[in-house]
Amino acid sequence: MPVSSGDTAWILVSSALVMLMTPGVALFYGGMVRRKNLLSTIMMSFICLGVVSLLWVLYGYSLSFGSDKIGIIGGLDFIGLMNVGQEPSPTYASTIPHLAFMMFQAMFAIITVALITGSIVERMKFGALLIFSVLWLTVVYCPIAHWVWGNGGWLARFGVMDFAGGAVVHINAGVSAMALVMLLGRRRGFPHEPMEPNNIPLVVLGAGLLWFGWFGFNGGSSLISDGLAASAFAATHISAAAAALTWMIVSWVHRRPTLLGTVTGAVAGLVAITPAAGFVTPLAGIPIGIVAALVCYYSMLLLKIKRGIDDSLDVFAVHGMGGIWGALATGIFSSLAVNSGGADGLLLGNAIPLLKQLVSVVAVGGFAFTATWILGKVVDLTIGLRVEYREETVGLDLSQHGERAYGGLIR
């Protein structure tokens, strides 16, 4: 099939939009930490653009999308971008250059690693993070991407629906983040010392970039410029809007309608609609977004306030729980009328898709947690995961990078 200029243009733009989401994550996370850790937090996300990009083109893409090996991992067909050129791939995207598809998928790998960092900010060594990121991309992300999206992957053959990364990106990152939290322990002073955000406008700017980029994240996952892309685009926006409003109302009932809570709600809605965007009607984004806000809000309260678990920026509560709800919601609201490659879900009288989605949640979550814990333990036993007491007290901006975000004293 010849290359379509329209489809190619859409995927290239979508790739750029998803790339912009990683700096968005950096700002979103950076604004939520204490001022002495702002730059280190931004660096943790931004460096993924360098590290993961190179690993992806050297071998990550091949392990994720190469010829299937017993449903678990891809082969070495595309190692060093071998056999990846300007011609379309007959397997994955038949109307765009293979290079365009490869780059689109690269942006997903990059942001998935960046998302994890929100759980371990303010206390993890930068060098340890780099080594962990290399190991995690290789051992955790690439196999899971192949399971779900690779031709012959066992979850793909099983019939799991994950349009844009509910399992591959969000459950994977959220559960992995929780494993690292279990290894690292709490920040010093948590929960007794105040750990207020240093710059909420920065958080809002990051959230805005994420919302903007998510149109490429979900809309681009149709891989062609068509009605399905438009449907996913609309569902994405509607879910984010519903979740933002719901979170604001819930926080108002409990205390006050906070800006920080509202933008966090929007992100929760974006997370939840990710696996469903191309399988559900746009209006299904309303209940998906509403429930996402409730699930993530109360998960945050339970984990951080009730249980005292220091998932610094609530990666598991928002991405892990939001991704789990989104995966299950896909099995509830999906419709063949929207996407003939999907299935009619529970609301249309078919419970099997929901059961398959549940299997994917357990499989991806279980593997991600176990593998991440082992990798983190290996890094901890070799070079150590956590900074020294004095370094944590001074702040990672100075102790890890020799820079400060603001002039004057650092608290």
Side-chain angles (χ1 to χ4, degrees), residues 372-390:
T372 300
W373 194 91
I374 293 171
L375 293 176
K377 195 67 176 176
V378 169
V379 175
D380 193 30
L381 291 173
T382 50
I383 66 169
L385 284 173
R386 188 162 186 150
V387 298
E388 299 295 332
Y389 174 82
R390 183 175 176 276

Side-chain angles (χ1 to χ4, degrees), residues 45 301 368 385:
S45 291
L301 291 183
L385 284 173

